[in-house]
Amino acid sequence: MTASIINGKEVSQELRASMTAEVKRLSEQGVVPGLAVVLVGEDPASQVYVRNKEKACHDLGFYSEVHRLDASTSQADLLALVDKLNKQESINGILVQLPLPGHIEEKAVIDAIAVEKDVDGFHPVNVGNLVIGDDSLLPCTPAGVIELIKRTGIEMSGKHAVVIGRSNIVGKPVSLLLQRENATVTMCHSRTANMKEITRQADILVVAIGRANFVDAEYVKPGAVVIDVGMNRLDNGKLAGDVDFESVKEVSGPITPVPGGVGPMTITMLMQNTLIAAKRAHGLA
Ligand code: GUN
């Protein structure tokens, strides 16, 4: 049996279409969501991500500012810019593109972003609110994963979800969000013993371990939903997920491809967070 493909690009386009309509309604009330993106240095991958965010803002009718700073920018100057953006009314969301150059402490910068403008969901207060189940801005990739699982129509409640990977930006938050959907969650990571025995019990398998084609068909229970968060650049320049798509799709249920699965959802959820932050700033949410 060949599994159905979860098309992240299509889901993303649907979400963006409904956001565009909402932005139009809001702009009639004088509310325009604004996103500031800060890029320090010239990392080529970061430059592509930042351009894509700028384009998404333009397409959706958001106000956007991109601050491109020299790689030698001091931490104090970067913090001063964050402080200015925190106070700027036209800006509802602030994203400082990571990684930052080595002389800048990422944590100091993330901690400096106003909690209500932290559209990455990386600020410790937003992370803490996620843990205790209070309202917070959710980290974009994990929120996109949950959205894609919902779109399969497969109920998460009572299911066994296994997450491979325990990073702060994907593994940990996605585990909490799955738990919030009433799944029973097991976390695996690079030191997990007998990983296949655990993943073969998963009704929902989320893979974010950062190793190309790590999960093959032996890891997967027949019919399981498989979400691949991996983005690994191979020596031949091609992009590969953490899941060996060709073998796994022969046994799994709905599965995300790479590219075209989780990837397109991340920026879409960033736009959704910015929209939420704008509505909250104007007392509309
Ligand atoms: N670099 C790669 N992905 C991300 C992300 O989601 N947010 C930020 N701020 N930087 C990134």
Side-chain angles (χ1 to χ4, degrees):
M1 190 192 85
T2 298
S4 67
I5 313 298
I6 306 172
N7 188 334
K9 215 169 155 182
E10 212 170 271
V11 174
S12 208
Q13 276 162 358
E14 282 170 30
L15 288 168
R16 287 186 193 203
S18 74
M19 273 192 269
T20 305
E22 190 170 6
V23 171
K24 192 160 177 289
R25 281 196 301 277
L26 283 172
S27 72
E28 283 156 13
Q29 298 172 251
V31 176
V32 180
L35 175 68
V37 177
V38 181
L39 172 63
V40 186
E42 281 159 15
D43 177 69
S46 292
Q47 285 178 331
V48 174
Y49 291 140
V50 167
R51 267 202 303 278
N52 289 342
K53 285 163 189 165
E54 200 174 11
K55 181 175 182 308
C57 282
H58 178 262
D59 293 348
L60 287 172
F62 286 22
Y63 169 70
S64 84
E65 282 183 7
V66 178
H67 297 263
R68 290 183 170 83
L69 308 181
D70 196 86
S72 65
T73 301
S74 71
Q75 179 166 317
D77 283 351
L78 178 58
L79 290 174
L81 173 60
V82 169
D83 189 49
K84 178 174 154 280
L85 295 168
N86 281 341
K87 293 175 179 143
Q88 191 174 321
E89 267 187 39
S90 60
I91 294 300
N92 306 110
I94 302 169
L95 181 141
V96 179
Q97 187 68 31
L98 304 177
L100 288 167
H103 65 280
I104 298 177
E105 194 197 342
E106 281 182 3
K107 183 173 161 47
V109 177
I110 291 168
D111 289 3
I113 296 171
V115 173
E116 68 278 11
K117 297 191 179 187
D118 167 40
V119 283
D120 259 328
F122 291 170
H123 191 286
V125 170
N126 278 320
V127 176
N129 282 333
L130 168 61
V131 173
I132 58 181
D134 274 1
D135 256 358
S136 61
L137 289 166
L138 299 177
C140 304
T141 301
V145 168
I146 298 297
E147 189 64 39
L148 288 179
I149 299 171
K150 283 186 178 164
R151 295 291 176 124
T152 65
I154 291 169
E155 180 63 52
M156 284 176 263
S157 181
K159 297 287 168 56
H160 187 189
V162 175
V163 177
I164 308 181
R166 55 177 162 177
S167 70
N168 287 337
I169 43 176
V170 183
K172 284 180 200 167
V174 92
S175 298
L176 289 162
L177 290 173
L178 287 160
Q179 205 175 86
R180 193 185 273 192
E181 298 293 334
N182 300 312
T184 302
V185 183
T186 303
M187 290 179 79
C188 296
H189 47 76
S190 54
R191 306 284 177 87
T192 299
N194 305 321
M195 196 187 293
K196 281 182 198 176
E197 283 171 28
I198 299 166
T199 59
R200 272 204 292 253
Q201 295 171 34
D203 303 305
I204 299 164
L205 181 60
V206 178
V207 191
I209 197 168
R211 291 196 209 162
N213 302 317
F214 178 82
V215 165
D216 62 24
E218 289 186 7
Y219 283 74
V220 179
K221 172 164 133 180
V225 177
V226 177
I227 307 289
D228 186 354
V229 188
M231 284 235 267
N232 308 287
R233 190 66 65 182
L234 301 177
D235 290 340
N236 64 10
K238 282 196 175 160
L239 200 62
D242 292 350
V243 174
D244 177 10
F245 182 80
E246 291 306 322
S247 83
V248 171
K249 78 177 187 342
E250 298 302 323
V251 296
S252 71
I255 179 170
T256 59
V258 175
V262 174
M265 293 297 287
T266 299
I267 293 187
T268 299
M269 301 322 275
L270 172 71
M271 296 297 125
Q272 196 162 80
N273 273 349
T274 306
L275 182 55
I276 291 169
K279 288 197 287 185
R280 285 184 185 157
H282 290 85
L284 299 171

